[in-house]
């Protein structure tokens, strides 16, 4: 249900640092839950993301932990990033601007690496994320080969939900770095979800029409009554 993963790079600094051990909740995906915006997730290489990257040689302790299931096999190539957008979302980022999800700019100051910009090194979008897939980015934007850099591969930079191993919930080691990994508040802002945006658009379209219909109805009934009266006369 829970597995430990070692952080091999600086792509998620300062949230996660090289050498940290994180505990990943594998239970949730097994029960059909899907990744959500703002979560830090571990996922298998979708294909080509880690091409050419060397596979580290595990020590005796890592081999033992892998054997009992507390750490992944050294042969597996996994990545860890933050979910920025999910299936149905539209995500974009212009140079000098913020990451925008469904028209809502994200305030990333609580987790993005100090000195990083949201996307100045690789602006993108707008991109509509296919259903059943996620768009992921590292917190250390200028040192993260994330979804932005793999748009030429199958999936156009997105990751299939069934490739997600689980959500990282705790930094467990070293002890001095112990902390939880909550979803930042910016992902809870009203109207962020694609469904909310669609509902709002429908309401805006329906509003004037509904008012027009309400105003026209008395006039139609009045004309009908007048014609009936003239016919009787």
């Amino acid at each position: 249900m829970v597995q430990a993963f070692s952080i091999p790079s600086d792509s998620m600094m300062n949230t996660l640092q090289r050498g940290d051990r994180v505990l990943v909740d594998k239970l949730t995906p097994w029960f059909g839950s899907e990744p959500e915006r703002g979560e830090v997730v571990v996922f298998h290489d979708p294909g080509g993301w880690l091409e050419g990257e060397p596979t580290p040689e595990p020590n005796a302790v890592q081999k033992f932990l892998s054997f009992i299931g507390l750490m992944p096999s050294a042969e597996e190539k996994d990545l860890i990033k933050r979910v920025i957008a999910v299936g149905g979302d539209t995500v974009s980022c212009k140079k000098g601007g913020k990451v925008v999800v469904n028209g809502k700019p994200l305030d990333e100051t609580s987790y993005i690496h100090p000195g990083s910009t949201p996307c100045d090194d690789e602006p993108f979008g707008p991109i509509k994320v296919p259903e059943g897939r996620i768009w992921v980015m590292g917190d250390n934007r200028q040192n993260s080969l994330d979804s932005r850099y793999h748009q030429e591969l199958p999936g156009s930079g997105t990751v299939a939900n069934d490739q997600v191993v689980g959500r990282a919930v705790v930094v467990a080691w070293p002890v001095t770095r112990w902390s939880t990994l909550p979803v930042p508040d910016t992902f809870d802002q009203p109207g962020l979800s694609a469904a909310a945006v669609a509902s709002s658009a429908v309401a805006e379209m329906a509003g004037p029409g509904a008012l027009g219909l309400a105003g026209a109805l008395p006039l139609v009934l009045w004309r009908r009554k007048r014609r009936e009266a003239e016919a009787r006369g």
Side-chain angles (χ1 to χ4, degrees):
M1 293 186 293
V2 176
Q3 192 171 48
F5 284 78
S6 178
I7 306 303
S9 73
D10 300 326
S11 67
M12 283 294 293
M13 287 181 64
N14 283 342
T15 304
L16 300 173
Q17 297 184 8
R18 187 189 297 262
D20 283 352
R21 300 291 196 277
V22 297
L23 296 183
V24 172
D25 168 24
K26 298 175 65 178
L27 178 64
T28 305
W30 289 349
F31 280 83
S33 180
E34 297 183 346
E36 296 185 4
R37 303 176 200 87
E39 294 180 343
V40 175
V41 298
V42 171
F43 55 96
H44 298 311
D45 183 354
W49 286 39
L50 293 177
E51 186 175 353
E53 290 289 328
T55 301
E57 182 63 28
N59 57 38
V61 174
Q62 290 173 323
K63 288 182 179 179
F64 173 74
L65 292 175
S66 176
F67 177 75
I68 63 176
L70 290 181
M71 290 194 73
S73 169
E75 285 72 36
E76 293 181 6
K77 288 190 173 182
D78 298 316
L79 301 96
I80 185 166
K81 305 290 182 189
R82 189 180 298 277
V83 179
I84 300 298
V86 298
D89 289 345
T90 299
V91 58
S92 64
C93 184
K94 296 180 179 179
K95 188 172 182 178
K98 295 182 177 182
V99 174
V100 177
V101 179
N102 298 326
K104 298 287 185 178
L106 299 180
D107 180 359
E108 302 188 285
T109 54
S110 68
Y111 59 86
I112 200 171
H113 184 265
S116 288
T117 60
C119 69
D120 283 4
D121 56 316
E122 190 70 17
F124 64 92
I127 292 168
K128 180 70 174 290
V129 181
E131 292 294 339
R133 304 186 73 89
I134 55 176
W135 179 271
V136 297
M137 299 175 73
D139 290 355
N140 190 4
R141 294 289 158 78
Q142 278 64 62
N143 193 8
S144 176
L145 296 179
D146 46 40
S147 287
R148 298 170 293 164
Y149 288 91
H150 302 288
Q151 297 181 56
E152 78 286 356
L153 297 175
S156 302
T158 62
V159 179
N161 289 357
D162 58 13
Q163 290 291 308
V164 176
V165 177
R167 175 187 174 184
V169 291
V170 172
V171 179
W173 187 265
V175 175
T176 54
R177 293 262 309 143
W178 191 95
S179 62
T180 58
L181 297 169
V183 172
D185 291 342
T186 190
F187 292 97
D188 293 327
Q189 61 178 298
L192 183 63
S193 73
V197 173
S199 297
S200 176
V202 170
E204 289 179 2
M205 293 173 63
L211 290 174
L213 178 62
L217 186 59
L219 180 61
V220 171
L221 292 176
W222 177 79
R223 286 178 176 173
R224 180 178 298 173
K225 289 180 179 179
R226 182 177 179 181
R227 285 198 298 269
E228 291 175 351
E230 290 175 348
R232 288 195 299 267

